[in-house]
Amino acid sequence: TGTPVLVDGDRSRTLGRVSMDMLVVDLTGHPAAGFGSTVTLWGQAGNGAHLSIDEVAAQAGTVGYELMCALAPRVPVVVED
């Protein structure tokens, strides 16, 4: 609980633990969020907001490299230059 994420570019946090490859995001304070909202685990959101992988890793008690290695193949990854 508490690991930061961006919901439609606005800061929020996870709730509970990751279960298999699913997680719960706190939508309190995000009344417009719902099905189809974009959740950014780390990186830059569509509105320009940025969440560092190192900040996410520190909150999760690990390092960014481990997060990148742990991504399941079915998780969509968007890489932009």
Side-chain angles (χ1 to χ4, degrees):
T1 295
T3 301
V5 296
L6 300 174
V7 178
D8 291 330
D10 295 323
R11 199 168 180 89
S12 188
R13 66 190 183 114
T14 61
L15 296 173
R17 293 181 149 300
V18 174
S19 175
M20 299 296 283
D21 60 351
M22 295 174 28
L23 54 84
V24 177
V25 174
D26 184 359
L27 296 181
T28 305
H30 303 277
F35 185 77
S37 292
T38 300
V39 176
T40 304
L41 301 180
W42 57 76
Q44 187 167 330
N47 69 350
H50 187 265
L51 182 57
S52 162
I53 192 171
D54 293 324
E55 179 183 354
V56 173
Q59 182 66 36
T62 187
V63 294
Y65 178 80
E66 186 175 349
L67 293 180
M68 292 297 293
C69 291
L71 285 175
R74 71 181 223 179
V75 174
V77 176
V78 177
V79 179
E80 296 180 0
D81 290 327

